[in-house]
């Protein structure tokens, strides 16, 4: 059993100011997998002071110095690849194959991307006699979620390191093991003391003081919209920058063409990936109403081929992360039935043969109306809602209807039509025919947040813009 009872502050593993512990549950077995210390405001204050002190020197380092540190971090990350994959499976239930193929590589990919961008990123620009400088914003606090733990840690840490910021990380207390190993990686890589700090804890004990601390210049939060609103409220009195990547209810518009069945099947599999625990999952599939029966048949066949079970084995889906999430998902599945949606596959309860663990049946609803709860609320489980539309205009209108705007998808053979639809969808990232790009900006419209992560757009989140007028001498008259 894992036991992580120290925090990483100022380059050292330190005891909590006051020891309080939390059991970490393995969602596949419902047994205790480990124990962590829970920090408090005093621990946060120590970490922020260390980051503030380190900022004086780290902010003045050269591009080459930061590249050297980041390349060392990448090397250590690669060494610990297997440890990280095992931790992710244990803490949040990702199947071993998914942890090795996607969860751990995602973090590595963001770091490698940031290294490549840093090599040529322009921190200074001459505009006539004025110099425009982009300077690190300062001390950053990072509050990261459990669903893609390493992806979300690294898409904050990597650009912060690259731009000369210092930081304090609070990994999710639900899935803290990978965050602990990440801190060990930073230590072994020789990241200067105080540049990176980590304090385990919950939202009230660590998240609130991190988002409200007067010496924190920026807070970057990934999680639910409800929690993101609280983070913004806590940050407001100190007028710090707030970056939020929040909830989603992403539409997937399937065009009426020769690849329709292929598009429907791909959409079902996409939703189920990571047991539906992705904020950008295409959870609302919009199909032409006249092809609803065809969509139902394909979706049913696809969903029933998805295996659920022990994440250390060969199952395609593991459990959802916790009893709280399991119960929430079960309640929303029942809500879909009660409100009259057509249950195509799955439904309430655990899959057959699984009597413990937070396993959810891959569930598909059809004939879902825009005003139904399952069409509006983020479920965060392996649940797809298929909705009918009378035209492309109708599909776009329904697609843009919820309060969220994180991601959207268009699938079909006619690229010109898909492009036109993509420009009309109110979402921060739109994927045509399954395309992905780690350098593309990621973030949401509306209640899905503000700011952007990934690639060079992430760098700008961590930079202040300074104008120095009179930098260049006046030209001779």
């Amino acid at each position: 059993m894992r036991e992580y009872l120290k925090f990483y502050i100022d380059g050292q593993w330190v005891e909590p100011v006051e020891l309080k512990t939390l059991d970490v549950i393995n969602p596949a077995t419902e047994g205790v997998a480990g124990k962590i210390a829970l920090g408090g405001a005093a621990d946060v204050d120590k970490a922020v002071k260390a980051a503030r002190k380190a900022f004086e020197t780290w902010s003045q380092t050269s591009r080459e110095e930061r590249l050297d540190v980041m390349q060392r971090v990448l090397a250590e990350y690669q060494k610990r690849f297997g440890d990280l994959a095992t931790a992710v499976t244990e803490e949040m239930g990702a199947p071993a194959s998914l942890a090795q193929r996607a969860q751990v590589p995602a973090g590595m990919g963001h770091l490698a991307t940031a290294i490549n961008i840093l090599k040529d990123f322009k921190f200074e620009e001459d505009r006539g006699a004025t110099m425009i400088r982009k300077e690190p914003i300062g001390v950053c606090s990072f509050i990261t979620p459990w669903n893609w733990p390493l992806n979300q840690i690294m898409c904050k840490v990597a650009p912060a390191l690259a731009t000369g910021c210092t930081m304090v990380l609070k990994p999710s207390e639900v899935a803290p093991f990978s965050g602990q190993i990440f801190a060990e990686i930073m230590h072994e890589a020789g990241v200067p003391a105080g540049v990176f700090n980590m304090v385990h804890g919950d939202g009230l004990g660590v998240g609130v003081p991190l988002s409200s601390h007067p010496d924190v210049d920026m807070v970057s939060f990934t999680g639910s919209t409800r929690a993101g609103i609280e983070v913004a409220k806590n940050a407001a009195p100190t007028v710090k920058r707030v970056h939020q990547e929040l909830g989603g209810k992403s539409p997937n518009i399937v065009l009426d063409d020769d690849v329709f069945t292929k598009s429907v099947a791909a959409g079902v599999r996409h939703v189920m990936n990571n047991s539906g625990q992705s904020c950008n999952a295409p959870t609302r599939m919009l199909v032409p109403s006249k092809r609803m029966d065809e969509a139902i048949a394909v979706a049913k066949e696809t969903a029933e081929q998805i295996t659920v079970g022990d994440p250390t084995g060969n199952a395609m889906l593991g459990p959802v992360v916790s009893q709280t999430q399991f119960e929430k998902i079960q309640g929303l599945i029942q809500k879909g039935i009660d409100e009259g949606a057509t249950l195509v596959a799955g439904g309430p309860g655990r899959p057959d043969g699984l009597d413990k663990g937070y396993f959810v049946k891959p569930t598909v609803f059809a004939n879902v109306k825009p005003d139904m709860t399952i069409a509006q609320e983020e479920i965060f489980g392996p649940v797809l809602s298929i909705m009918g539309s009378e035209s492309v205009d109708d599909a776009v209108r329904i697609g843009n209807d919820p309060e969220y705007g994180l991601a959207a998808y268009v699938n079909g053979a006619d690229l010109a039509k898909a492009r036109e639809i993509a420009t009309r969808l109110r979402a921060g990232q739109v994927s045509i025919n399954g395309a992905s790009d780690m350098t593309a900006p990621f973030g949401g419209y509306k209640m899905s947040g503000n700011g952007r992560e990934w690639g060079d757009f992430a760098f700008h989140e961590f930079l202040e813009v300074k104008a120095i007028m009179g930098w260049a001498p006046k030209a001779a008259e």
Side-chain angles (χ1 to χ4, degrees):
M1 190 172 77
R2 300 172 189 262
E3 190 170 85
Y4 299 139
L5 302 182
K6 292 184 179 181
F7 307 137
Y8 188 69
I9 298 174
D10 205 15
Q12 301 178 53
W13 293 99
V14 302
E15 302 279 353
V17 173
E18 180 184 355
L19 180 60
K20 297 179 181 178
T21 64
L22 175 72
D23 288 340
V24 179
I25 305 301
N26 181 324
T29 66
E30 301 185 43
V32 177
K35 187 187 299 286
I36 60 168
L38 291 175
D43 302 294
V44 168
D45 191 57
K46 288 171 64 175
V48 171
K49 285 178 178 175
R52 175 58 63 195
K53 180 181 177 183
F55 181 71
E56 295 175 12
T57 51
W58 182 248
S59 63
Q60 301 305 308
T61 53
S62 67
R63 182 193 310 265
E64 291 70 28
E65 288 172 306
R66 297 197 296 277
L67 280 169
D68 179 61
V69 169
M70 294 173 71
Q71 285 162 344
R72 296 202 308 267
V73 173
L74 180 58
E76 290 296 328
Y77 191 105
Q78 291 168 329
K79 289 180 187 177
R80 300 295 298 273
F81 189 103
D83 294 338
L84 289 167
T86 299
V88 169
T89 296
E90 189 176 348
E91 68 189 0
M92 57 77 62
S97 60
L98 181 68
Q100 294 163 4
R101 173 175 44 85
Q103 287 273 3
V104 179
M108 195 161 60
H110 284 300
L111 179 56
T113 298
I115 288 170
N116 287 332
I117 291 168
L118 177 57
K119 292 175 181 176
D120 300 310
F121 190 84
K122 292 184 178 180
F123 290 94
E124 295 182 348
E125 175 190 348
D126 288 322
R127 290 194 179 182
T130 299
M131 164 67 78
I132 305 296
R133 278 178 54 85
K134 296 171 183 175
E135 300 178 345
I137 193 169
V139 175
C140 305
S141 60
F142 298 148
I143 302 171
T144 58
W146 46 260
N147 60 320
W148 287 89
L150 292 162
N151 179 82
Q152 292 307 127
I153 288 172
M154 195 61 92
C155 71
K156 300 179 192 301
V157 169
L161 282 176
T163 53
C165 295
T166 59
M167 64 211 76
V168 181
L169 167 69
K170 186 197 91 65
S172 169
E173 72 277 17
V174 176
F177 299 157
S178 54
Q180 175 81 16
I181 295 171
F182 182 76
E184 294 171 2
I185 288 168
M186 298 292 274
H187 181 74
E188 291 300 319
V191 176
V195 170
F196 172 85
N197 306 273
M198 183 201 69
V199 179
H200 286 301
D202 57 21
L204 188 61
V206 175
V208 171
L210 265 182
S211 55
S212 60
H213 199 291
D215 283 335
V216 168
D217 300 290
M218 172 184 174
V219 56
S220 181
F221 171 83
T222 300
S224 70
T225 297
R226 176 194 55 77
I229 291 168
E230 292 305 309
V231 166
K233 288 179 178 178
N234 294 333
T238 49
V239 199
K240 56 174 56 68
R241 185 176 296 176
V242 178
H243 169 268
Q244 301 165 311
E245 194 263 281
L246 308 175
K249 195 68 181 174
S250 303
N252 177 14
I253 296 178
V254 178
L255 302 184
D256 183 5
D257 57 28
D258 293 341
V259 296
F260 178 81
T261 57
K262 179 181 176 182
S263 297
V264 170
V268 173
R269 289 191 293 268
H270 192 164
V271 169
M272 303 305 168
N273 186 47
N274 203 41
S275 296
Q277 298 171 125
S278 300
C279 49
N280 60 344
T283 52
R284 293 181 300 134
M285 182 182 291
L286 288 147
V287 303
S289 295
K290 64 183 181 181
R291 301 191 75 168
M292 178 63 77
D293 289 346
E294 190 177 351
I296 288 173
V298 173
K300 178 179 176 63
E301 180 182 5
T302 305
E304 289 178 348
Q305 291 174 351
I306 296 171
T307 57
V308 184
D310 180 1
T312 64
N314 297 318
M316 297 164 70
L317 294 193
V320 296
V321 75
S322 67
Q323 183 175 354
T324 298
Q325 288 298 117
F326 177 82
E327 291 174 354
K328 174 192 171 187
I329 295 163
Q330 294 299 316
L332 286 165
I333 289 172
Q334 188 60 52
K335 194 83 168 176
I337 294 169
D338 294 344
E339 291 184 358
T342 303
L343 182 63
V344 172
R350 291 182 175 87
D352 291 342
L354 297 171
D355 57 1
K356 67 177 179 179
Y358 308 123
F359 297 96
V360 177
K361 297 175 185 176
T363 297
V364 176
F365 285 101
N367 298 307
V368 175
K369 305 302 180 187
D371 61 349
M372 288 182 177
T373 303
I374 58 172
Q376 294 290 330
E377 289 191 19
E378 185 175 37
I379 299 174
F380 228 61
V383 182
L384 170 64
S385 296
I386 304 178
M387 311 172 73
S389 60
E390 303 308 315
S391 64
V392 167
D393 288 345
D394 192 36
V396 170
R397 178 187 61 78
I398 296 169
N400 288 334
D401 182 53
E403 63 186 10
Y404 299 110
L406 185 59
Y409 302 81
V410 186
N411 285 276
D414 188 337
L415 182 58
K417 182 182 289 186
R419 286 171 172 169
E420 188 270 333
I421 293 170
T423 63
R424 297 169 61 192
L425 291 168
R426 298 280 295 167
Q429 194 177 82
V430 184
S431 173
I432 296 175
N433 293 327
S436 62
D437 179 359
M438 195 162 271
T439 69
F442 181 68
Y445 287 25
K446 301 188 284 185
M447 297 289 278
S448 287
N450 52 64
R452 293 294 181 268
E453 294 181 319
W454 302 13
D456 59 315
F457 283 84
F459 279 44
H460 294 286
E461 295 293 324
F462 295 95
L463 295 168
E464 291 280 23
V465 178
K466 176 186 287 182
I468 307 178
M469 297 170 287
W471 180 268
K474 290 184 178 180
E477 296 181 1

